[in-house]
Amino acid sequence: IIFALDFADPKEALAWVDRLDSQVRFFKVGLQLFLAGGWPVVEYIAKRGNKVMLDLKLYDIPATVKLAVEQFAGRGVSLTTVHGYGPVVDAALSAGTDVNILAVTVLTSFGDDELKELNYQGSISDLVKQRAGKVLGLGCHGVVCSAQESNMLRVAYGLDFTMVTPGIRPAGASVNDQQRISTPGSALQNGSDYLVIGRPIRDAENPEKAVDDIFYEISSVL
């Protein structure tokens, strides 16, 4: 599990790290929290012995992306995200840091209406497969995708890359603004390595029990 620290207040976010890191040892710092708290948030999480996914979804001219990723070196970041556009991924890899680069294929909030706006002739799965194939061919360490596409990508491209899947919702949890969702067990069965989970834990009456329940489902599948 990668717990999504989707909070505007750094103090609140770090209180959740204190609360959960006896169970969860991987935390996602997204754009909102990073803008609010910056590197001290990342460093606090790392100094407690946890891993950090810095989820900024970088997308800019290649030179700027390379310079940005160079700033991540030595900061305790394990994974970071860039958009799954070939030159952007290539630039992030060329920074040569110790951070694994994940390419975002298609956002899990992206549905058929958004696909029509692109005038893309295939399905969302086709677009995910196309983008994943391109970035993995460049040597990208992994991808971010919906668990609904994870089995397809494993069959197409094998096991030698990291797959992170957001949009994870335990049975009975609210869908919120996600469209292409999956349960934890189904996501792992289909080949996901890491499950990004935020609101189903954060908004639970008993967050620690929610984590335990998710781990129970995971263990029953494994």
Side-chain angles (χ1 to χ4, degrees):
I1 293 174
I2 300 177
F3 179 65
L5 292 169
D6 295 331
F7 301 97
D9 181 359
K11 290 183 179 179
E12 184 180 9
L14 297 183
W16 277 92
V17 174
D18 295 344
R19 180 173 183 174
L20 293 181
D21 72 359
S22 63
Q23 296 172 284
V24 178
R25 302 312 303 271
F26 215 141
F27 294 88
K28 181 178 81 73
V29 175
L31 189 59
Q32 178 190 36
L33 179 57
F34 191 73
L35 289 175
W39 287 114
V41 170
V42 173
E43 291 162 357
Y44 180 90
I45 297 168
K47 284 179 180 178
R48 288 180 63 91
N50 302 305
K51 294 182 178 181
V52 177
M53 175 181 174
L54 186 57
D55 184 27
L56 304 183
K57 299 182 180 70
L58 298 178
Y59 186 86
D60 210 314
I61 63 171
T64 298
V65 171
K66 179 182 178 182
L67 291 171
V69 174
E70 286 175 353
Q71 297 300 311
F72 301 168
R75 299 278 197 167
V77 177
S78 296
L79 303 173
T80 196
T81 56
V82 302
H83 274 274
Y85 174 57
V88 169
V89 171
D90 210 23
L93 293 169
S94 72
T97 69
D98 55 348
V99 181
N100 280 6
I101 306 299
L102 300 177
V104 178
T105 54
V106 176
L107 298 173
T108 51
S109 60
F110 194 91
D112 290 334
D113 290 340
E114 290 79 11
L115 187 67
K116 290 177 183 177
E117 292 180 9
L118 294 180
N119 292 319
Y120 184 75
Q121 299 304 309
S123 65
I124 291 177
S125 293
D126 294 333
L127 182 58
V128 170
K129 185 177 180 181
Q130 174 185 314
R131 289 180 174 175
K134 174 67 174 179
V135 300
L136 293 174
L138 293 172
C140 195
H141 302 106
V143 298
V144 179
C145 66
S146 163
Q148 293 185 10
E149 290 106 33
S150 55
N151 182 257
M152 171 190 68
L153 296 185
R154 284 289 179 222
V155 171
Y157 304 120
L159 300 174
D160 195 24
F161 67 97
T162 299
M163 192 170 344
V164 175
T165 50
I168 301 299
R169 294 293 184 269
S174 173
V175 172
N176 302 116
D177 57 352
Q178 305 287 356
Q179 295 197 48
R180 302 187 339 276
I181 64 170
S182 176
T183 63
S186 176
L188 286 174
Q189 284 180 314
N190 285 330
S192 300
D193 294 301
Y194 295 102
L195 313 179
V196 177
I197 308 176
R199 284 171 286 193
I201 296 172
R202 184 192 69 197
D203 297 342
E205 183 175 342
N206 184 334
E208 290 83 359
K209 182 179 184 301
V211 173
D212 284 341
D213 289 345
I214 293 168
F215 278 134
Y216 179 79
E217 180 179 344
I218 290 172
S219 66
S220 67
V221 169
L222 297 179

